[in-house]
Amino acid sequence: MVREQVRIDARTLQWKCVESRADSKRLFYGRFILSPLLKGQADTIGLAMRRALLGEIEGTCITRAQFAKIPHEYSTIVGIQESVHEILMNLKEIILRSNLYGTCEAFICAKGPGSITAKDIIAPTYVEIIDNTQEIASLTEPIELCIQLQIERNRGYRIKRSNKIQDGSYPIDAIFMPVRNVNYSIQSYGTRKENHEILFLEIWTNGSLTPKEALQEASRNLIDLFLPFLQTEEENLHFADKQPILPLRPSTLPAKLVHTRKNNKKIVLKSIFIDQFDLPPRVYNSLKRAKISTLVDLLNNSQEDLMRLEHFRIEDLKRILDILEKHFGLDLPKN
């Protein structure tokens, strides 16, 4: 455990980790302060950070498991102590860390008798198992158990649907959130004329991220959400046939923009932001770090330029090219 003395600097805004500890492989704790803040600012920041920490950070989970020749979820397998349902519940408890984009496959192939744990999972190198001791099943006879797993990186949580069972493949409830809990408190100090506040943030994570990493990622996500409001040009989208004005920052591409004729040169390209393309957060963040905010910025780059970006992959480039062709009739030069 690490503790540091809290020191308040009344001149500049600063943050510091004042306590950090690992209670177990699956539970990390961190306590942070931000000061000095004006009256009311601590509550604004604390509430926003709590929502971002719990809802805006991506995590990795096992979302589906496939067994061979299993009629239903509550079946029992001869030679295995647990039912299929209990095995699925154990798979749900496995904590993973990855830089995965989308989904990937992993496998379990083990022969009894003996105990099957998370260390028996054969996963890609970019997927890390946080706690290898997590139990999955206990084999009481010399039989072989093979399970095909689907691993996915996403955010929030997903409840399985019973009607999605297919070919012995069972969905698993997924809690992608690496942050388990967040508390914030406020301490006031100063005089009546000049009153300041200190914000205290307490963060618990599941071990796939440290509290400091979670705090920094949540902060970046919040900044990305507010960046469109810092644009100097506030032009709206207009079309040649006097269609209604479109919102500045819709969550996805407007339906009327999708059906607009290709090569319509009268679209105000500077008013089309890349966050309208419904891109994954990793791709969006890579573009933003390269100062690519609008469609005009994107068109000023070649395919080769985009492939040089950090964490950018060939499938990301194909997705962007497909969006440009489908919605705007545009393309990027190769070089």
Side-chain angles (χ1 to χ4, degrees):
M1 183 173 68
V2 180
R3 285 182 179 270
E4 294 186 17
Q5 184 179 359
V6 179
R7 297 179 181 177
I8 305 303
D9 187 349
R11 294 170 296 176
T12 58
L13 190 64
Q14 294 181 342
W15 75 277
K16 181 181 288 188
C17 177
V18 294
E19 184 177 352
S20 176
R21 68 172 185 262
D23 294 333
S24 67
K25 290 183 178 180
R26 305 160 67 90
L27 184 61
F28 287 10
Y29 171 80
R31 190 166 183 255
F32 307 87
I33 64 168
L34 180 66
S35 68
L37 296 166
L38 298 178
K39 186 177 181 180
Q41 289 182 338
D43 195 49
T44 301
I45 298 174
L47 181 60
M49 286 303 303
R50 186 177 189 277
R51 294 179 67 90
L53 284 163
L54 293 174
E56 296 296 330
I57 301 179
E58 291 188 340
T60 307
C61 287
I62 298 174
T63 56
R64 186 172 286 274
Q66 184 171 9
F67 301 80
K69 300 178 181 180
I70 302 298
H72 57 80
E73 181 179 343
Y74 297 96
S75 299
T76 57
I77 306 174
V78 177
I80 299 180
Q81 184 174 327
E82 293 82 3
S83 67
V84 174
H85 176 74
E86 290 172 326
I87 294 175
L88 295 177
M89 293 300 99
N90 291 336
L91 291 172
K92 176 183 175 181
E93 297 298 322
I94 295 176
I95 306 297
L96 303 174
R97 175 188 175 110
S98 76
N99 57 357
L100 173 67
Y101 170 56
T103 62
C104 71
E105 289 186 350
F107 301 90
I108 298 175
C109 287
K111 190 173 182 180
S115 178
I116 299 177
T117 62
K119 69 179 180 180
D120 296 308
I121 297 177
I122 304 172
T125 56
Y126 48 81
V127 177
E128 177 186 355
I129 301 172
I130 300 302
D131 185 5
N132 286 328
T133 63
Q134 169 65 38
E135 293 187 1
I136 299 175
S138 299
L139 304 185
T140 58
E141 296 182 12
I143 64 171
E144 188 175 32
L145 176 64
C146 292
I147 309 174
Q148 182 177 347
L149 306 174
Q150 176 181 285
I151 297 175
E152 182 177 347
R153 181 178 171 88
N154 212 319
R155 67 177 186 174
Y157 62 90
R158 182 187 304 156
I159 304 299
K160 66 179 181 180
R161 305 296 181 187
S162 58
N163 58 350
K164 291 186 178 181
I165 299 174
Q166 49 189 3
D167 301 329
S169 178
Y170 300 90
I172 301 175
D173 292 339
I175 303 176
F176 296 103
M177 302 178 292
V179 177
R180 290 296 182 239
N181 193 20
V182 180
N183 285 336
Y184 76 91
S185 58
I186 302 169
Q187 178 181 334
S188 300
Y189 69 97
T191 63
R192 290 184 178 179
K193 293 183 179 179
E194 188 176 356
N195 194 12
H196 293 281
E197 295 178 338
I198 306 173
L199 174 64
F200 290 85
L201 270 173
E202 292 182 289
I203 304 172
W204 289 263
T205 68
N206 64 0
S208 62
L209 286 180
T210 65
K212 182 179 179 181
E213 290 173 332
L215 181 62
Q216 292 175 338
E217 185 170 343
S219 300
R220 284 192 293 267
N221 290 340
L222 274 179
I223 292 172
D224 289 340
L225 289 174
F226 286 109
L227 276 178
F229 295 111
L230 299 179
Q231 300 294 330
T232 55
E233 298 182 5
E234 299 181 356
E235 302 172 354
N236 291 320
L237 301 180
H238 295 277
F239 299 97
D241 52 357
K242 296 182 180 181
Q243 294 183 8
I245 297 176
L246 296 172
L248 180 63
R249 190 180 183 273
S251 58
T252 57
L253 287 173
K256 293 185 178 180
L257 181 57
V258 173
H259 298 295
T260 303
R261 298 189 307 273
K262 292 184 177 181
N263 301 321
N264 189 340
K265 302 300 182 181
K266 293 189 178 182
I267 296 177
V268 184
L269 300 183
K270 287 186 178 181
S271 295
I272 302 177
F273 297 93
I274 60 171
D275 52 4
Q276 297 174 250
F277 296 169
D278 195 22
L279 296 171
R282 178 181 55 78
V283 180
Y284 174 76
N285 291 333
S286 295
L287 295 174
K288 295 297 290 186
R289 282 194 293 268
K291 298 183 179 180
I292 300 175
S293 301
T294 66
L295 183 57
V296 169
D297 298 334
L298 184 61
L299 295 176
N300 286 334
N301 290 270
S302 65
Q303 298 181 26
E304 187 177 358
D305 294 333
L306 295 183
M307 289 303 301
R308 293 196 188 102
L309 299 182
E310 186 179 7
H311 306 309
F312 210 85
R313 304 172 184 173
I314 185 64
E315 56 264 28
D316 304 330
L317 176 62
K318 291 179 180 178
R319 181 167 186 163
I320 290 177
L321 293 177
D322 182 64
I323 291 173
L324 292 177
E325 169 63 24
K326 182 178 180 180
H327 300 309
F328 306 102
L330 301 173
D331 195 9
L332 295 178
K334 293 185 176 181
N335 300 315

